[in-house]
Amino acid sequence: MAAPSDRVHQFFDELEAKKTILAKCTNLFTILSKHFSSLQNSLTVKSQFLDSKLQALESSSKETLESLHHREASIPERESAAAARIEDQKEAALAELRSTAPPEPDLSASLRSLSRKMDAAALLRFVVSKRKESASLRAEIAAAMAEAVDPPRVVVEAVEEFLKSKVAKSGVTDKRWACGLVIQALMVSEPREYSRRIVERAVKVVESWKGLLDGESESGAAEVVMFLQMVVCFGLRSRFDDDYLRKFVMEFASRRDMAKLAASLQFGDKIIDIIDELIKNGKEIEAVYFASEAGLTERFSPINLLKSYHQNFKKNVTTTSKRGNNNHAVTDDSSTSELNSIKAIIKCVEDHKLESEFDLDNLRKRATHLEKTKAERKKISTSGTKPQNKRGSRGSGSSSSRPAKSAKFNNAHSTSFSRRNLAPSRQSSGAGARFSGPFNYPSQTIFEGATANPYTATYGSSHAQSPAGITQQHYSIPVDSLGPSGYRSSGSYSGQTSYGIYDYINVAPSTYPPPYTVDQTSYRG
């Protein structure tokens, strides 16, 4: 009986082994089936994606071919119109050159005459001579430049004249300002087709300019803006590294034109890194402008950025006041910092039409209070520093006496106050003269909660920069107020040490100008 029992056990062992093998095969088959099903699904999705891409490509190609056909059909008409326009401008320029009459005193007529003559050097000299009429120049120079036969050539020659002055170190400040107006006039003009010869000449000028900028320890803000405008205007973006241009953008991010230039320089996804860096550096106001120009307001909410900036500058002002132990000079500086920060927030909110999402009533009341307080302190300081009669009367026999201690203290206080240039009241006109039309923004999500700082968790603790660093806002500052080096002469607002009380509560809304659009230049031989 032992032998049959062993055979039975052996038979069941073999069955168990075969069962295990069958289970492994079944499991492997299931895994392979799922894998091949996944591959099939992936191939199907990719095939559908490729089909949609091919359809889009066919549609795009069809539209492009239709556009090219339309442009080709319109070439004769455009050529005749351009030839007629050039002929008219040529006749006008020849008439100007042949004319022996003295130049007309009218500013607009003089600008048009110089533009028709294509005399960039004379145009710069004339603009410099009329610098006191900067508002009229800005309004007239773009239309005058359109009268030139070849406006890009005038701009290139104007930059060449400026670079000659820069190398010779003679009249640099005035020519830089005048050249900036000429470049700006071309930037806001209608898109034009530049000849290959002019573009190649612009390349040489810009490369020469780059060499001069690289050789300087510090570059002026106005000159850097002009340089970047030339890069954008003549389509020279591909000739410069991203890091080189980004350095200029970050260094002068507070310039009014810089956000528009950054968007036109086509940084791609790197613009996100630029905005992140601005936020980390406590420049939320600049970040709002950059995000709006780049179309990234959904990712970088303007309301969140403004509230973060508001909370940070309040903390910095409080910290500075405590460290100063109520010192008069520190208190004045802290008040100036707070006032400038409030003005920056108010202007940013008005520029981007965010009044319905960001309440400005309390800020305007606070700004009005700070203005009145400053005016009262200045009046007290001025009254305490009136000159005293140091010489006694001849009959009294008394000698001259030294001024009282209180007057000396008040004089020191006045000196501390006068070191600062107060921010000017907001003016809605002037800044918009360079651009036209409203600026449209996508709708924003309303942010609730006044105490939360949405960027603290992401970018670390609250910013510890000094209040003076918060107030460097330049979005509403005209270029003609720059000092000799390209910077403002002191602080953010130059040359305004006294002004009336500004009513922030009954302020009219401003219009934020749209960015200039610069098409890629197309070459024609």
Side-chain angles (χ1 to χ4, degrees), residues 411-520:
N411 187 29
H413 174 70
S414 176
T415 304
S416 173
F417 187 90
S418 64
R419 282 198 303 265
R420 296 169 291 103
N421 293 321
L422 301 181
S425 60
R426 185 187 63 79
Q427 299 179 358
S428 60
S429 61
R434 300 168 63 182
F435 308 98
S436 63
F439 196 96
N440 299 321
Y441 297 94
S443 59
Q444 307 296 330
T445 303
I446 299 178
F447 178 80
E448 299 294 343
T451 59
N453 187 342
Y455 291 95
T456 302
T458 306
Y459 302 106
S461 59
S462 60
H463 312 297
Q465 79 272 21
S466 64
I470 303 177
T471 62
Q472 301 297 323
Q473 309 297 335
H474 301 283
Y475 293 103
S476 61
I477 304 172
V479 179
D480 56 324
S481 59
L482 294 170
S485 64
Y487 295 97
R488 302 190 61 81
S489 58
S490 174
S492 299
Y493 302 90
S494 173
Q496 298 198 24
T497 58
S498 177
Y499 52 90
I501 303 302
Y502 186 76
D503 187 2
Y504 291 89
I505 300 176
N506 299 320
V507 63
S510 64
T511 301
Y512 181 52
Y516 40 72
T517 57
V518 181
D519 295 341
Q520 292 294 332

Side-chain angles (χ1 to χ4, degrees), residues 22 104 234 335 414 482:
L22 184 61
E104 300 182 36
F234 288 92
S335 298
S414 176
L482 294 170

Side-chain angles (χ1 to χ4, degrees), residues 118-424:
M118 296 283 292
D119 191 344
L123 179 62
L124 288 182
R125 288 194 299 269
F126 177 78
V127 172
V128 169
S129 68
K130 298 294 182 180
R131 185 164 186 173
K132 293 183 179 180
E133 304 177 39
S134 60
S136 300
L137 282 172
R138 293 180 189 281
E140 298 289 345
I141 193 167
M145 286 283 292
E147 297 288 331
V149 176
D150 194 357
R153 176 184 161 189
V154 176
V155 172
V156 172
E157 291 179 353
V159 175
E160 289 175 342
E161 287 291 326
F162 164 66
L163 294 181
K164 290 178 183 177
S165 299
K166 188 177 178 68
V167 172
K169 297 182 180 180
S170 174
V172 179
T173 304
D174 290 334
K175 283 195 176 180
R176 175 172 53 233
W177 176 80
C179 189
L181 286 185
V182 174
I183 296 174
Q184 184 66 35
L186 186 64
M187 289 291 295
V188 300
S189 63
E190 295 181 1
R192 298 178 181 272
E193 293 183 354
Y194 303 154
S195 67
R196 184 180 292 107
R197 184 178 301 175
I198 288 298
V199 174
E200 291 174 354
R201 188 173 174 184
V203 169
K204 294 179 181 178
V205 170
V206 170
E207 289 179 350
S208 175
W209 198 351
K210 177 180 179 294
L212 294 176
L213 290 174
D214 293 342
E216 296 175 346
S217 57
E218 292 184 357
S219 301
E223 187 171 341
V224 168
V225 169
M226 292 162 54
F227 175 82
L228 295 179
Q229 286 175 338
M230 286 289 290
V231 172
V232 171
C233 191
F234 288 92
L236 308 180
R237 170 65 176 84
S238 60
R239 297 180 176 271
F240 297 93
D241 296 332
D242 287 343
D243 294 338
Y244 183 80
L245 297 176
R246 176 175 175 172
K247 177 190 69 174
F248 284 145
V249 170
M250 292 302 303
E251 186 175 358
F252 303 105
S254 297
R255 292 287 302 181
R256 177 181 59 181
D257 295 336
M258 194 56 72
K260 298 178 180 62
L261 285 172
S264 300
L265 286 171
Q266 301 175 352
F267 283 104
D269 293 339
K270 292 185 178 180
I271 193 68
I272 297 176
D273 298 332
I274 292 176
I275 298 174
D276 282 332
E277 188 172 350
L278 289 173
I279 296 171
K280 291 177 183 178
N281 294 337
K283 297 182 178 181
E284 290 92 343
I285 296 293
E286 289 86 344
V288 173
Y289 283 87
F290 274 68
S292 298
E293 295 294 344
L296 296 172
T297 51
E298 293 185 359
R299 178 163 185 165
F300 300 96
S301 171
I303 300 301
N304 292 355
L305 291 172
L306 289 169
K307 290 190 176 184
S308 174
Y309 177 78
H310 186 207
Q311 294 166 10
N312 289 331
F313 90 72
K314 284 199 301 184
K315 291 179 182 178
N316 289 326
V317 167
T318 302
T319 303
T320 304
S321 300
K322 289 181 179 179
R323 290 177 181 176
N325 295 324
N326 296 324
N327 181 274
H328 288 285
V330 174
T331 302
D332 287 342
D333 291 338
S334 178
S335 298
T336 301
S337 173
E338 182 181 1
L339 179 60
N340 289 337
S341 298
I342 291 175
K343 287 181 178 181
I345 292 177
I346 291 174
K347 173 144 183 46
C348 185
V349 171
E350 291 174 345
D351 284 345
H352 297 90
K353 304 294 187 296
L354 300 174
E355 292 89 345
S356 60
E357 303 176 55
F358 194 97
D359 187 15
L360 294 177
D361 292 340
N362 292 333
L363 288 178
R364 284 171 175 159
K365 291 177 182 178
R366 178 61 177 168
T368 303
H369 172 72
L370 290 173
E371 292 273 15
K372 291 180 179 179
T373 304
K374 280 182 171 294
E376 292 173 358
R377 288 181 180 177
K378 187 174 182 180
K379 186 182 296 184
I380 295 173
S381 175
T382 304
S383 62
T385 57
K386 291 182 178 179
Q388 300 183 3
N389 186 10
K390 296 183 180 181
R391 181 174 296 177
S393 60
R394 293 178 182 270
S396 62
S398 61
S399 60
S400 61
S401 60
R402 300 180 63 177
K405 292 291 184 180
S406 60
K408 185 176 181 180
F409 171 79
N410 289 332
N411 187 29
H413 174 70
S414 176
T415 304
S416 173
F417 187 90
S418 64
R419 282 198 303 265
R420 296 169 291 103
N421 293 321
L422 301 181

